[in-house]
């Protein structure tokens, strides 16, 4: 626990931490210092951070990361970047999201603005919309910028429709 108003200077030391880190103060370091703490989780989620098992047209996609080792300033909601990608069958989209700490010192990061999911016949990467051409997987990998050996990946089902498929014929009326 690092209390509010207290600073912990790592200098050039590696601090290996396990369990919960409660940082309401400030962690500083010099070149070569490392705060090593395992990532708790990364997941595709809803706006509340609850696990999502799939996304389809008109859904809002969120990514939630819990990494208490990224909470260096307990008085500020910090940010990080993460890329969401889709597999080739789904359209091979790629969108960069800004994740913001849900509260100062929480160590939980989520995109504040939803990434809208839409069915599309053409995918444009980097346009702020996760475009899905057909069923596939959404994927993301989080690599801790302060401890690159610390990383986790996750995936989610993307349920799209095959664009341009002919509509099915209506059933024939009974004779």
């Amino acid at each position: 626990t690092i209390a509010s108003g207290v600073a912990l200077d790592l200098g050039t030391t590696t601090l290996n931490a396990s369990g919960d880190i409660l940082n309401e103060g400030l962690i500083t370091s010099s070149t070569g210092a490392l705060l090593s703490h395992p990532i708790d989780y990364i997941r595709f989620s809803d706006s509340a951070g609850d696990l999502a098992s799939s996304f389809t047209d008109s859904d809002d996609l969120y990514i939630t990361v819990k990494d208490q080792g990224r909470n260096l300033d307990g008085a500020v909601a910090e940010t990080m970047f993460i890329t969401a990608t889709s597999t080739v069958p789904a359209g091979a989209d790629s969108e960069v999201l800004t994740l913001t700490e849900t509260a100062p010192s929480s160590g939980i990061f989520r995109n504040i603005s939803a990434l809208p999911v839409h069915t599309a016949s053409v995918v444009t990467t980097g346009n702020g919309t996760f475009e899905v051409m057909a069923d596939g997987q959404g994927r993301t990998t989080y690599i801790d910028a302060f401890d690159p050996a610390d990383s986790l990946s996750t995936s989610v089902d993307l349920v799209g429709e095959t664009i341009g498929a002919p509509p099915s014929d209506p059933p024939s009326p009974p004779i």
Side-chain angles (χ1 to χ4, degrees):
T1 299
I2 302 167
S4 179
V6 173
L8 171 64
D9 184 3
L10 297 178
T12 58
T13 305
T14 295
L15 174 62
N16 292 306
S18 60
D20 288 338
I21 298 174
L22 177 57
N23 177 22
E24 294 177 345
L26 181 65
I27 299 173
T28 60
S29 63
S30 302
T31 303
L34 177 66
L35 172 59
S36 178
H37 180 272
I39 301 164
D40 293 282
Y41 60 78
I42 178 173
R43 61 183 168 212
F44 286 93
S45 66
D46 62 15
S47 61
D50 295 324
L51 181 66
S53 59
S54 67
F55 291 95
T56 190
D57 188 54
S58 299
D59 284 345
D60 289 332
L61 183 149
Y62 291 85
I63 296 175
T64 303
V65 172
K66 183 176 181 186
D67 183 2
Q68 295 171 337
R70 284 295 299 263
N71 174 35
L72 300 179
D73 188 340
V76 174
E78 295 164 276
T79 60
M80 65 171 74
F81 299 98
I82 198 160
T83 302
T85 61
S86 63
T87 56
V88 171
D93 200 355
S94 178
E95 302 293 331
V96 176
L97 302 173
T98 301
L99 306 188
T100 302
E101 206 169 5
T102 58
S105 80
S106 72
I108 300 172
F109 298 80
R110 184 175 313 115
N111 46 310
I112 294 171
S113 299
L115 179 62
V117 177
H118 289 294
T119 312
S121 58
V122 176
V123 169
T124 304
T125 61
N127 67 350
T129 299
F130 211 47
E131 295 161 325
V132 180
M133 294 176 63
D135 291 355
Q137 291 276 306
R139 297 186 177 148
T140 190
T141 298
Y142 167 67
I143 301 170
D144 187 337
F146 302 116
D147 183 5
D150 194 15
S151 66
L152 279 177
S153 297
T154 191
S155 62
V156 70
D157 289 332
L158 298 175
V159 181
E161 58 186 55
T162 304
I163 304 298
S168 58
D169 292 330
S172 301
I175 304 180

